[in-house]
């Protein structure tokens, strides 16, 4: 596997743990956008996915937290 896939694999459990707060955060940020909910969902879902993995990857770089996530 490539470097990106290896990093995503390492961050997968952390992304799973963080997905709910990230989805809620992104949805709250999108609440003021004047679009239909169905259209917002098309943006909120991928943004939440990427946000969860990015946050989890960042946490895997922190020595004390790396053992947990």
């Amino acid at each position: 596997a490539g470097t990106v896939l290896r990093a995503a694999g390492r961050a997968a459990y952390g992304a799973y743990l963080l997905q709910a707060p990230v989805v809620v955060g992104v949805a709250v940020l999108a609440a003021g956008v004047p679009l239909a909910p169905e259209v917002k969902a098309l943006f909120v879902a991928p943004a939440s996915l990427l946000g969860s993995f990015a946050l989890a990857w960042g946490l895997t770089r922190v020595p004390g937290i790396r053992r947990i996530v």
Side-chain angles (χ1 to χ4, degrees):
T3 306
V4 173
L5 287 178
R6 227 176 282 124
R10 175 68 184 95
Y13 180 66
Y16 166 73
L17 292 176
L18 298 168
Q19 71 174 345
V22 171
V23 170
V24 170
V26 173
V28 167
L29 289 174
V33 178
L35 291 173
E38 298 83 5
V39 177
K40 283 188 209 180
L42 294 175
F43 293 100
V44 169
S48 300
L49 178 69
L50 291 173
S52 296
F53 272 93
L55 185 57
W57 177 81
L59 289 175
T60 63
R61 315 296 283 172
V62 179
I65 299 175
R66 142 181 356 183
R67 290 180 162 179
I68 299 169
V69 290

